[in-house]
Amino acid sequence: MPKVSKKLQQAIDSLVIHDVYLKSSQAHCADDFDPKSIEVDSLLIQQMHVVHRSELVQIDGDGQLVRVYIRLGNRWGSPTESDEPDIKAFVEADFIAEYQLTSKLEQEAIDEFALKNASYHVWPYWRELLSSQSERLRLPRVVLPTVQFAKE
């Protein structure tokens, strides 16, 4: 397990999960794509995971929240001769993870937390949304692991 930096540990100790919610979502199948009649093995699946930004927000009274904006996506495409597949369907979502700030933190610590920890709180919501949207669109089933993030 990677060693946790001092700044990241300070952020972990100073931030308490307050809320996770969906900011926006989008799902689409191309007009020329019938997911019920396609050979599943012929589709390429690509995933997206981007931590967009974090912000410090003053709340009523003297409290502060840290909001982390995370975009996740999954797309299905047909192989082409170029590097990019012909996208046939996609499901994308923007989530916000909110944390109550219990003690003052440097922006550098907040940024490191946003990049390395916030996605763990959002991931279960993304798994559920992707699963339900894929089923409703009759897209091939995608089972995401409990947690899956790129290694540093």
Side-chain angles (χ1 to χ4, degrees):
M1 185 158 179
K3 185 178 178 190
V4 175
S5 73
K6 183 178 179 184
K7 290 198 182 298
L8 179 56
Q9 189 60 55
Q10 287 172 339
I12 290 169
D13 294 340
S14 300
L15 294 168
V16 177
I17 188 72
H18 180 70
D19 198 3
V20 174
Y21 56 98
L22 184 65
K23 178 76 171 162
S24 68
S25 67
Q26 189 175 2
H28 176 77
C29 283
D31 291 338
D32 65 343
F33 178 62
D34 178 7
K36 292 176 75 173
S37 65
I38 190 83
E39 208 175 300
V40 176
D41 294 340
S42 70
L43 292 175
L44 298 172
I45 298 175
Q46 295 178 316
Q47 296 179 342
M48 172 180 58
H49 171 230
V50 179
V51 177
H52 271 288
R53 65 186 168 97
S54 63
E55 67 182 5
L56 192 58
V57 179
Q58 190 70 36
I59 55 175
D60 292 339
D62 60 350
Q64 291 182 316
L65 289 177
V66 170
R67 287 190 181 135
V68 180
Y69 294 77
I70 299 172
R71 172 170 282 173
L72 295 151
N74 209 81
R75 64 186 192 175
W76 294 259
S78 297
T80 64
E81 292 188 20
S82 72
D83 287 342
E84 280 297 310
D86 179 19
I87 303 306
K88 298 299 184 182
F90 67 86
V91 176
E92 295 179 353
D94 290 295
F95 287 92
I96 297 175
E98 286 185 344
Y99 301 87
Q100 184 101 33
L101 189 61
T102 61
S103 62
K104 191 166 176 59
L105 280 176
E106 295 175 20
Q107 187 62 46
E108 189 178 330
I110 292 171
D111 292 344
E112 188 173 357
F113 181 88
L115 290 171
K116 294 182 178 177
N117 275 53
S119 295
Y120 289 103
H121 297 122
V122 171
W123 194 253
Y125 297 88
W126 167 240
R127 287 179 75 220
E128 184 280 326
L129 182 100
L130 178 60
S131 177
S132 64
Q133 289 292 73
S134 297
E135 177 60 31
R136 287 181 178 102
L137 292 165
R138 299 299 185 250
L139 291 168
R141 186 174 180 210
V142 176
V143 178
L144 296 177
T146 304
V147 175
Q148 175 186 20
F149 301 113
K151 294 183 177 158
E152 294 179 36

